């Protein structure tokens, strides 16, 4: 049996839970928009063509902020194509995903859908093929109250009130050679600086995210952030990070240790940002927006799933990267969320990529059902219950050896304390493939009381760690009650099954 001891202390807090950590991402890619959130003619479609079943699952998932409209897509997108009478909107080739974009769904539709979903909008501007002018015009169209050509055009197109979009991404992955309009760090840094200035001239209240590296493995990682921020530090509020992980060559241990990489990636970006701050004698702090993250089985993809896909047929909303997630993936996603939460003092925004069908917690078949993937559960529970203060967690755990990340704690945890409802929530992963883990939690500054919730996601009876929810078997992997959780005064004890993700919520009073 694995052993772990966790200590939390009421006075040792990391900061308030940034609710934008539970963000998601809707890109015009594959079947995320078309036949994902939007499918006129589907039996569940409302009068706007929005799928009610997907909307209900989005609400249950609890996503707080949704990045739109891309991704690689945005780097070749004209936002004007997606507004105005639908019949007059142009059909365009989307070079990012080798897709025909009908533009039946655009900004107004996304704003309407977001209102129904109860989610904040994080809008990306095209700094690939376009620049300062299109970016500031989009802000004027979206946020200016009226009395100018663009704000009046928005009214004419059906929205009298401004959209009031606060959060804006200054492009997407422009460090990547695959990106339409790929740039050097100097080129991008200057462009981001000027676009930010011009966008703020229109609406000074907006928050801006500069493009960081597309991954920590990029050859320009570090240098990119340093150069971009050397130009744009004063103009931006956040720098972005992207990371995708997968199990490779059956190396489950390294895959389960992946959050170590996330921790290191975040620490490196924080160091780089702060070095620019110090050198430039800046006062303000630039924070981090981890605006694409997830498990993504990128290697061994069918060529249909590759970006650009040059030479193939141009298609509308093809099936792209519709990964099916298993129990192991859900445990990894739980640990990635733990890493984000533990860094909530600097990571203020995070978006799991993407919301539906495309590497997503929700799957939806055209003219068919929608269901929750295994990775839905850790996200949904953390989005619902991680509130109030993030608590530091001191962990002494048995460890395991992983080829990629060395020695790693078997038990991974994050914790929050919501003073308003008097509850502590613990989010725990047992990364051990074989053994259950006995966990003792020492509560300092708290007296623990009634257990409100104890749930676990683990390998279903008679299945293995690759068990997943599918069209045919939509509820094979989910949460079940976690038995035997005891909270007694200053201690809580629980047993986590092998390869599992758990949530435990209990009442506390101050000691
Ligand atoms: O989320 C899928 C793609 O991954 C996005 O379009 C791009 O930004 C990233 O490379």
């Amino acid at each position: 049996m694995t052993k772990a001891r966790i200590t939390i202390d009421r006075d040792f807090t990391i900061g308030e839970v940034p609710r934008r950590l539970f963000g998601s991402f809707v890109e015009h890619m594959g079947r995320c928009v078309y036949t994902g959130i939007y499918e006129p003619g589907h039996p569940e479609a409302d009068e706007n063509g929005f799928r009610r079943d997907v909307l209900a699952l989005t609400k249950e998932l609890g996503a707080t902020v949704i990045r739109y409209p891309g991704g690689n897509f945005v780097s070749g997108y004209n936002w004007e194509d997606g507004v105005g009478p639908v019949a007059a909107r142009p059909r365009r080739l989307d070079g990012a995903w080798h897709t025909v974009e009908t533009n039946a769904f655009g900004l107004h539709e996304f704003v309407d859908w977001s209102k129904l979903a109860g989610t904040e909008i994080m809008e990306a501007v095209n700094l690939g093929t376009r620049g300062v002018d299109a970016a500031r015009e989009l802000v004027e169209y979206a946020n200016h109250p009226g009395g100018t050509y663009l704000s009046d055009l928005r009214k004419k197109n059906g929205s009298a009130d401004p959209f009031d979009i606060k959060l804006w991404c200054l492009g997407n992955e422009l460090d990547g050679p695959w990106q339409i309009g790929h740039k050097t760090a100097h080129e991008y840094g200057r462009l981001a600086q000027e676009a930010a200035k011009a966008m703020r001239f229109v609406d000074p209240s907006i928050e801006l995210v500069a493009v960081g590296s597309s991954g920590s493995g990029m050859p320009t990682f570090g240098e990119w952030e340093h150069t971009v921020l050397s130009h744009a530090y004063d103009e931006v509020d956040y720098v972005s990070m992207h990371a995708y992980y997968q199990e490779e060559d059956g190396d489950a241990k390294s895959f389960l240790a992946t959050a170590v990489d996330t921790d290191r990636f975040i620490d490196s970006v924080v160091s780089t940002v702060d070095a620019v701050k110090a050198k430039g004698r800046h006062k303000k702090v630039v924070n981090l927006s981890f605006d694409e993250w997830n498990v993504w089985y990128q290697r061994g993809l069918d060529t249909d799933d590759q970006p650009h896909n040059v030479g193939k047929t141009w298609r509308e909303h093809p099936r792209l990267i519709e990964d099916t997630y298993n129990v192991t993936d859900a445990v990894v996603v739980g640990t990635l969320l733990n890493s984000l939460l533990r860094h909530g003092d600097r990571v203020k925004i995070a978006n799991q990529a993407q919301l539906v069908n495309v590497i997503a917690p929700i799957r939806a078949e055209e003219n068919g059902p929608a269901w929750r993937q295994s990775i839905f559960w850790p996200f949904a529970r953390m989005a619902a219950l991680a509130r109030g203060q993030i608590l530091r967690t001191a962990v002494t755990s048995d460890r395991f050896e992983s080829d990629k990340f060395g020695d790693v704690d078997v038990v991974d945890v994050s914790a929050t304390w919501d003073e308003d409802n008097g509850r502590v929530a613990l989010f725990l992963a047992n990364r051990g493939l074989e053994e259950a883990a006995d966990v003792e939690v020492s509560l300092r500054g708290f007296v623990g009381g009634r257990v409100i919730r104890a749930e676990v996601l683990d390998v279903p009876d008679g299945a293995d760690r690759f068990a997943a929810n599918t069209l045919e078997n939509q509820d094979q992997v989910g949460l079940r009650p976690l038995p035997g959780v005891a909270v007694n005064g200053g201690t809580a004890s629980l047993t986590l099954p092998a390869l599992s993700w758990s949530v435990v919520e209990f009442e506390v009073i101050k000691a």
Side-chain angles (χ1 to χ4, degrees):
M1 180 82 94
T2 297
K3 298 257 181 252
R5 189 181 158 74
I6 298 165
T7 303
I8 55 174
D9 188 314
R10 197 185 79 208
D11 292 325
F12 291 176
T13 58
I14 292 171
E16 181 119 359
V17 175
R19 295 289 304 156
R20 284 172 168 169
L21 278 191
F22 304 105
S24 188
F25 178 29
V26 166
E27 176 166 7
H28 283 246
M29 173 182 176
R31 300 191 313 110
C32 188
V33 172
Y34 303 108
T35 71
I37 63 174
Y38 176 77
E39 189 181 337
H42 188 279
E44 292 277 347
D46 69 8
E47 65 283 6
N48 303 302
F50 304 151
R51 281 184 64 158
R52 288 196 186 87
D53 52 350
V54 174
L55 205 47
L57 288 175
T58 302
K59 287 184 187 166
E60 188 185 327
L61 183 70
T64 51
V65 56
I66 301 197
R67 186 165 173 252
Y68 175 84
N72 294 344
F73 171 80
V74 80
S75 296
Y77 180 54
N78 299 334
W79 66 265
E80 300 89 338
D81 292 347
V83 304
V86 174
R89 295 186 195 171
R91 287 166 66 83
R92 297 267 193 201
L93 296 183
D94 159 33
W97 302 111
H98 208 74
T99 298
V100 175
E101 172 58 53
T102 65
N103 283 305
F105 190 98
L107 182 57
H108 287 255
E109 289 76 20
F110 187 64
V111 169
D112 291 345
W113 182 87
S114 300
K115 280 185 190 146
L116 294 172
T119 47
E120 183 185 0
I121 293 172
M122 181 178 190
E123 180 77 15
V125 299
N126 174 358
L127 292 188
T129 58
R130 305 188 78 187
V132 177
D133 208 30
R136 70 178 180 144
E137 290 200 345
L138 177 51
V139 176
E140 182 178 335
Y141 183 90
N143 285 5
H144 195 67
T148 64
Y149 171 72
L150 287 167
S151 54
D152 288 344
L153 185 60
R154 180 197 67 240
K155 291 181 182 209
K156 191 171 150 223
N157 289 335
S159 292
D161 291 333
F163 298 147
D164 201 20
I165 299 171
K166 285 279 167 264
L167 201 48
W168 295 80
C169 301
L170 296 162
N172 177 71
E173 292 191 350
L174 287 150
D175 63 323
W178 60 87
Q179 200 70 203
I180 300 175
H182 169 220
K183 291 172 175 51
T184 66
H186 280 293
E187 288 166 347
Y188 173 71
R190 286 286 299 122
L191 178 57
Q193 181 183 24
E194 292 306 316
K197 252 170 56 189
M199 291 163 78
R200 277 230 174 80
F201 286 158
V202 178
D203 182 352
S205 74
I206 58 178
E207 297 170 54
L208 293 164
V209 184
V211 165
S213 293
S214 306
S216 58
M218 293 297 289
T220 50
F221 173 54
E223 185 57 40
W224 173 274
E225 283 78 358
H226 194 275
T227 306
V228 167
L229 289 176
S230 298
H231 290 294
Y233 194 96
D234 277 333
E235 279 80 20
V236 303
D237 305 288
Y238 310 92
V239 63
S240 76
M241 304 172 64
H242 292 179
Y244 293 104
Y245 302 101
Q246 71 176 99
E247 181 172 332
E248 286 177 58
D249 308 320
D251 182 2
K253 287 187 173 173
S254 294
F255 182 45
L256 285 160
T258 288
V260 171
D261 183 73
T262 314
D263 290 340
R264 289 180 190 161
F265 186 16
I266 294 169
D267 292 344
S268 304
V269 177
V270 167
S271 306
T272 310
V273 170
D274 289 352
V276 179
K277 175 174 180 268
K279 186 156 182 271
R281 291 165 175 73
H282 300 280
K283 289 216 166 43
K284 83 166 189 206
V285 175
V286 167
N287 283 314
L288 276 44
S289 170
F290 212 131
D291 48 41
E292 283 186 37
W293 67 269
N294 207 350
V295 172
W296 177 3
Y297 285 86
Q298 296 192 59
R299 269 149 243 170
L301 287 180
D302 180 81
T303 49
D304 260 17
D305 274 356
Q306 301 285 7
H308 311 302
N309 195 20
V310 179
K312 293 268 176 166
T313 328
W314 291 96
R315 308 141 298 169
E316 287 178 28
H317 55 80
R319 207 178 266 277
L320 293 182
I321 58 169
E322 298 193 5
D323 286 6
T324 297
Y325 293 113
N326 58 41
V327 172
T328 319
D329 300 325
V331 175
V332 169
V333 162
T335 62
L336 300 180
L337 284 161
N338 279 348
S339 172
L340 293 170
L341 196 55
R342 287 191 302 254
H343 289 93
D345 54 336
R346 293 302 294 272
V347 183
K348 299 293 181 186
I349 305 164
N351 306 70
Q352 191 181 39
Q354 300 187 4
L355 179 68
V356 53
N357 288 332
V358 177
I359 45 171
I362 300 170
R363 286 286 294 271
E365 277 304 308
E366 185 166 3
N367 210 25
W371 66 95
R372 305 165 190 81
Q373 295 234 55
S374 63
I375 62 169
F376 182 99
W377 293 109
F379 189 110
R381 284 299 183 267
M382 289 184 74
L385 303 175
R387 289 175 186 274
Q389 293 292 319
I390 309 164
L391 296 171
R392 288 190 190 287
T393 46
V395 181
T396 310
S397 165
D398 287 346
R399 291 167 72 82
F400 68 101
E401 179 67 27
S402 72
D403 282 353
K404 285 194 192 152
F405 305 109
D407 247 17
V408 177
D409 284 343
V410 178
V411 172
D412 183 69
V413 66
S414 66
T416 56
W417 168 44
D418 185 351
E419 197 170 3
D420 289 344
N421 67 10
R423 292 179 186 178
V424 160
L426 300 173
F427 308 100
L428 303 126
N430 177 2
R431 305 191 262 209
L433 287 160
E434 312 286 344
E435 286 180 15
D438 262 348
V439 181
E440 192 175 283
V441 187
S442 169
L443 315 171
R444 294 203 187 148
F446 296 116
V447 177
R450 192 164 60 99
V451 176
I452 307 287
R453 179 192 298 268
E455 292 171 317
V456 62
L457 180 154
D458 61 347
V459 177
D461 283 345
D464 60 24
R465 70 184 183 88
F466 299 104
N469 296 339
T470 59
L471 174 61
E472 295 74 30
N473 193 354
Q474 295 173 13
D475 296 309
Q476 194 191 7
V477 180
L479 296 171
R480 65 178 177 88
L482 176 67
V485 177
V487 181
N488 226 326
T491 313
S493 55
L494 47 135
T495 302
L496 307 173
L499 190 64
S500 62
W501 179 87
S502 300
V503 52
V504 174
E505 190 193 18
F506 50 90
E507 287 177 342
V508 289
I509 52 169
K510 292 184 190 174

